[in-house]
Amino acid sequence: MLIGRHSFIRQNKLSDVAGRIDYISNPKRQEHLYATYQTEGATPEFWKNLARENQLDFKTSGSAGKCIEGREFIIALPESFVQYRADDVLRLFTEIFHKRYDVECTAALHHNKTKTNYHIHLIFSERKLLPEPDVKIASRSVFFDETGKRVRTKKEITGEDGQIRKGCTVIKKGEVYESHLFTTKDTRFKGEPFLREIKEVYTELINHHISDPEQHLKVFDKNSVYLPTKKIGKNNPKEDEIKADNAARQEWNRTADMALLSG
């Protein structure tokens, strides 16, 4: 019995979605960039507005850490996929996600510098554009403190000198005090079931385009007897340690194979 290779599909949180899109799709920043693709609504203006609204909402919430402006999947492809047109591959993987979850996406297809890792970067929004902007008009003066949090009275943002403290904001009656171009974030994108689902969807799609069943990939099951090996990043100071660990894991998996065969 052979141990099947596991698919590699990782999700990242993005705190600078526009910068990340430029990084994955800019030929000047990618040595082996084969294709880029975006869904119809995923314009630069869309991502700019999305980032701004996410940042404003994050500031208002008072949450700690970094604001998540978008999310990204990195999908490793078998090297056999280089036989297919890059544009077709990228469009297929992006549109499957777009149609399934109805959110805007921007994607790119790369090799790494040593051309040993053929992969897709797929960036997606957790929010959708509203049919019409949701604009709120102040029926009375509205006050915000330095953190962007709304307070009840002007006194709460006034210094000892009687002046509005630096960084605080006053929205007068009749002015726009809040506007939204997007829905709230879809919370399913934060859950483990979603991550598991997309791994299964893409692993099945990859296998559909591999003619040899013995080369098919499978989604790693953390509850199985097998141990996953770890990817070694470029210039990783623990490269030797990880290689030794991977060798031990592979030996364990071979032992598990023998145990399963013998019952």
Side-chain angles (χ1 to χ4, degrees):
M1 183 170 68
L2 296 173
I3 302 172
R5 289 177 56 207
H6 293 114
S7 54
F8 177 85
I9 301 167
R10 185 181 73 199
Q11 184 181 196
N12 295 329
K13 301 173 184 178
L14 304 179
S15 56
D16 178 11
V17 70
R20 185 62 175 172
I21 288 172
D22 179 68
Y23 175 77
I24 68 167
S25 59
N26 189 336
K28 295 180 180 179
R29 303 183 71 180
Q30 296 298 329
E31 188 174 349
H32 304 295
L33 173 63
Y34 301 116
T36 59
Y37 183 80
Q38 64 183 39
T39 51
E40 186 176 355
T43 62
E45 190 69 16
F46 171 88
W47 295 113
K48 178 182 176 182
N49 289 334
L50 176 70
R52 180 170 61 238
E53 187 154 321
N54 277 329
Q55 290 288 352
L56 286 172
D57 288 353
F58 180 77
K59 185 177 180 181
T60 302
S61 72
S63 300
K66 291 185 177 181
C67 171
I68 306 305
E69 297 180 356
R71 291 178 183 262
E72 171 190 30
F73 274 111
I74 299 175
I75 307 158
L77 301 176
E79 283 300 313
S80 61
F81 269 56
V82 297
Q83 67 182 298
Y84 305 119
R85 289 186 68 251
D87 289 334
D88 293 341
V89 171
L90 191 58
R91 184 183 302 107
L92 174 63
F93 275 75
T94 308
E95 284 299 334
I96 280 179
F97 190 97
H98 176 53
K99 291 173 182 176
R100 190 178 188 92
Y101 300 108
D102 192 27
V103 290
E104 301 297 347
C105 310
T106 293
L109 179 58
H110 298 165
H111 255 129
N112 60 342
K113 289 186 177 181
T114 56
K115 300 190 77 170
T116 55
N117 180 6
Y118 197 49
H119 60 280
I120 288 172
H121 293 266
L122 189 148
I123 292 172
F124 66 96
S125 168
E126 299 169 274
R127 310 170 81 156
K128 301 178 188 177
L129 271 175
L130 292 166
E132 296 290 337
D134 179 17
V135 178
K136 296 181 180 179
I137 306 295
S139 57
R140 59 183 179 84
S141 293
V142 181
F143 311 104
F144 297 90
D145 65 14
E146 297 93 336
T147 67
K149 182 179 179 181
R150 185 174 175 178
V151 296
R152 296 182 61 188
T153 65
K154 183 178 179 180
K155 185 177 179 180
E156 294 177 72
I157 60 171
T158 302
E160 294 181 357
D161 59 357
Q163 301 298 312
I164 303 297
R165 296 196 306 270
K166 185 178 180 180
C168 298
T169 307
V170 178
I171 305 297
K172 296 179 180 178
K173 179 180 178 180
E175 294 180 346
V176 175
Y177 74 91
E178 188 176 325
S179 64
H180 293 281
L181 299 176
F182 297 88
T183 62
T184 57
K185 288 185 177 182
D186 190 332
T187 56
R188 66 178 162 169
F189 294 130
K190 297 172 64 176
E192 185 64 31
F194 162 71
L195 184 57
R196 178 74 185 186
E197 178 181 84
I198 202 63
K199 286 182 177 181
E200 290 174 349
V201 167
Y202 278 140
T203 301
E204 182 179 346
L205 178 60
I206 290 169
N207 287 340
H208 182 72
H209 292 83
I210 299 176
S211 57
D212 183 359
E214 290 192 358
Q215 298 299 316
H216 282 186
L217 307 179
K218 61 181 180 180
V219 178
F220 176 73
D221 182 1
K222 63 183 178 181
N223 296 316
S224 77
V225 297
Y226 296 113
L227 298 176
T229 54
K230 298 179 181 179
K231 183 179 179 182
I232 303 173
K234 184 179 179 181
N235 298 325
N236 191 324
K238 295 186 177 181
E239 180 177 353
D240 292 339
E241 180 183 330
I242 295 173
K243 283 182 177 179
D245 183 63
N246 283 344
R249 288 167 179 261
Q250 289 166 347
E251 182 61 30
W252 167 269
N253 290 340
R254 285 191 289 270
T255 305
D257 260 353
M258 294 298 294
L260 290 172
L261 280 172
S262 62

